[in-house]
Amino acid sequence: MKDNLTENEKVTADAAEAENEKNAAAELGKFKDVQTLMKAYSDLEAEFTRRSQRLKELEKGNKADGLPDGAESAPSPTDEEELLKSALGNAKIRDAVIGEYLKGVSEAKGVPLVAGGGGVSAPRNTPKSVKEAGKLAQQFLNS
């Protein structure tokens, strides 16, 4: 009977140990063991440090230029002149810019009031009495 009790304890201990290893492996996710996890963490920490340093350098550069964080510096006048010369020298780019401009200008016009080429006339305002005719004549002469 004592043998049976000792054997049950061994089986229970082995099962508990196997379950602990299973839980530890599940907690490590895609990593095989703790050493692999630690190496990945060290690599990640080093990359984070490099990126943080690079970000600080960029922020210092912007502050030296007098720009707010995240803003890019505007091209200098000489850069703009060079860009303009190269764009004007390339017929394809020049034609594309002119085409976009003309397209924008043509779309900006309002809806035509007359379609079909005929003129639009206002309804005639004919006086119905002599008094109204006198008022119209006086407005005509005063203006």
Side-chain angles (χ1 to χ4, degrees):
M1 179 124 163
K2 203 171 194 180
D3 250 353
N4 196 10
L5 185 60
T6 308
E7 199 173 297
N8 280 344
E9 286 177 6
K10 281 184 182 177
V11 171
T12 308
D14 290 341
E17 189 176 313
E19 189 172 323
N20 284 342
E21 288 178 11
K22 191 179 192 183
N23 288 340
E27 289 175 7
L28 294 177
K30 66 179 183 177
F31 301 102
K32 294 177 186 175
D33 56 8
V34 175
Q35 274 66 32
T36 310
L37 176 64
M38 290 303 295
K39 183 181 181 315
Y41 178 77
S42 297
D43 293 345
L44 181 64
E45 189 176 28
E47 180 64 25
F48 178 76
T49 303
R50 281 192 295 273
R51 288 187 182 211
S52 295
Q53 289 170 347
R54 176 78 174 129
L55 179 62
K56 289 271 189 206
E57 290 172 9
L58 291 173
E59 286 176 350
K60 283 181 185 177
N62 281 346
K63 286 181 182 175
D65 293 341
L67 297 173
D69 291 343
E72 294 182 14
S73 60
S76 66
T78 56
D79 291 343
E80 289 178 356
E81 290 171 7
E82 290 175 15
L83 181 62
L84 179 62
K85 284 179 185 177
S86 65
L88 290 175
N90 188 336
K92 209 175 201 182
I93 294 173
R94 185 180 58 236
D95 292 344
V97 170
I98 291 171
E100 284 294 316
Y101 171 75
L102 291 175
K103 187 172 140 184
V105 169
S106 68
E107 289 176 354
K109 291 185 178 178
V111 178
L113 297 176
V114 178
V120 177
S121 61
R124 284 190 79 179
N125 189 4
T126 56
K128 299 197 177 19
S129 67
V130 175
K131 191 175 185 181
E132 286 181 21
K135 283 183 183 177
L136 282 175
Q138 194 165 14
Q139 285 178 353
F140 178 74
L141 294 174
N142 288 338
S143 57

